[in-house]
Amino acid sequence: MSYVFPPAPITTVPVVGSDNLFPVHRIYCVGRNYAEHAKEMGFTGREAPFFFMKPADAVLVVSDGATGEMPYPTLTQDLHHEIELVVALGKGGKNIKAADAFEHIFGYAVGLDMTRRDLQAEAKKQGRPWEIGKGFDHSAPMTPIVPTAQAGDIHNAAIWLNVNGAKRQSSEVTKLIWSVAETIEVLSQAWELQAGDLIFSGTPEGVAAVLKGDLLEGGVQGLPALKVKLV
Ligand code: MN
């Protein structure tokens, strides 16, 4: 037996400090996970965490020091940036307890959950799925992955995004409503997590539109900066 056509390549992300590649399984994303961002989206209070996914091949790897080129997507007039801490799992499992969650983390990266906000808003209004707003091609630019041992104190790190040199988003990972460990606990009740899963942990306040030609520069203290130009 053979494939009827060649299978798509496995999406991979380089690992900082080695020649190894991290093979991506799924991309889970957490919605409204910083209080001030929840407010700017019209919500308040600590909701139960909720999730959506992007396809693994939405990843656009940008190596450290390089400027990635993201094509401005079709069908939108309102493309938004969402800078996020990305958690890369090296070990899967079901019903993982928050206290054990860190054993499952391989490393961390910086990512952008790029969002066609107008299409997402229309989907919300109509009670439709979010995929067209969130899961489009190249919608997940990200840096290489830093293994946990080299990543420093990520959970208290600053997180920020500038557009064309002007500050747009600035917060701290410690302000996550649902911490990384709690997120893994709840996610692993809904899905069996696997090595290779990425978790986009949520964005702080300050999301806004970007245009073709804009340069996005963001980061999480202790990780490589992410530079993306919209083309
Ligand atoms: Mn997001």
Side-chain angles (χ1 to χ4, degrees):
M1 296 268 274
S2 60
Y3 294 114
V4 295
F5 49 80
I10 294 169
T11 297
T12 59
V13 181
V15 174
V16 172
S18 81
D19 294 329
N20 294 334
L21 297 172
F22 179 94
V24 180
H25 175 244
R26 290 180 181 165
I27 306 175
Y28 296 98
C29 304
V30 188
R32 296 194 291 262
N33 204 16
Y34 286 81
E36 292 305 314
H37 172 62
K39 280 185 202 165
E40 74 184 353
M41 299 306 289
F43 294 82
T44 53
R46 197 186 202 223
E47 307 168 90
F50 68 93
F51 310 101
F52 58 92
M53 286 196 236
K54 291 178 187 264
D57 65 0
V59 164
L60 173 67
V61 172
V62 183
S63 32
D64 193 12
T67 300
E69 294 198 336
M70 176 186 168
Y72 191 92
T74 58
L75 301 180
T76 184
Q77 314 293 325
D78 196 24
L79 177 69
H80 275 206
H81 54 74
E82 296 192 357
I83 192 74
E84 309 202 1
L85 170 68
V86 179
V87 181
L89 298 189
K91 187 177 146 194
K94 290 192 243 190
N95 298 315
I96 299 164
K97 291 289 162 219
D100 304 323
F102 291 110
E103 294 165 26
H104 296 259
I105 300 176
F106 172 82
Y108 301 96
V110 178
L112 277 162
D113 167 17
M114 298 302 291
T115 303
R116 294 194 278 209
R117 192 72 74 200
D118 43 359
L119 301 187
Q120 184 202 26
E122 182 64 17
K124 282 182 183 174
K125 201 162 76 184
Q126 306 272 0
R128 290 177 182 161
W130 286 11
E131 272 84 356
I132 198 167
K134 288 289 195 178
F136 54 94
D137 295 344
H138 317 296
S139 61
M142 64 179 286
T143 65
I145 295 167
V146 178
T148 48
Q150 283 110 69
D153 187 10
I154 286 300
H155 301 278
N156 291 298
I159 179 168
W160 56 276
L161 180 82
N162 292 346
V163 177
N164 301 328
K167 189 199 285 182
R168 286 276 185 95
Q169 295 187 268
S170 179
S171 188
E172 292 153 29
V173 173
T174 187
K175 292 184 177 172
L176 278 170
I177 296 172
W178 295 91
S179 70
V180 167
E182 290 170 328
T183 295
I184 290 171
E185 176 170 309
V186 180
L187 256 183
S188 70
Q189 292 165 2
W191 289 273
E192 177 171 356
L193 297 178
Q194 290 199 28
D197 287 337
L198 296 175
I199 303 169
F200 278 60
S201 58
T203 196
E205 67 275 17
V207 300
V210 279
L211 302 170
K212 198 182 270 197
D214 283 349
L215 179 66
L216 290 67
E217 293 182 80
V220 172
Q221 192 182 2
L223 300 178
L226 175 60
K227 274 210 274 187
V228 176
K229 188 176 174 134
L230 284 163
V231 297

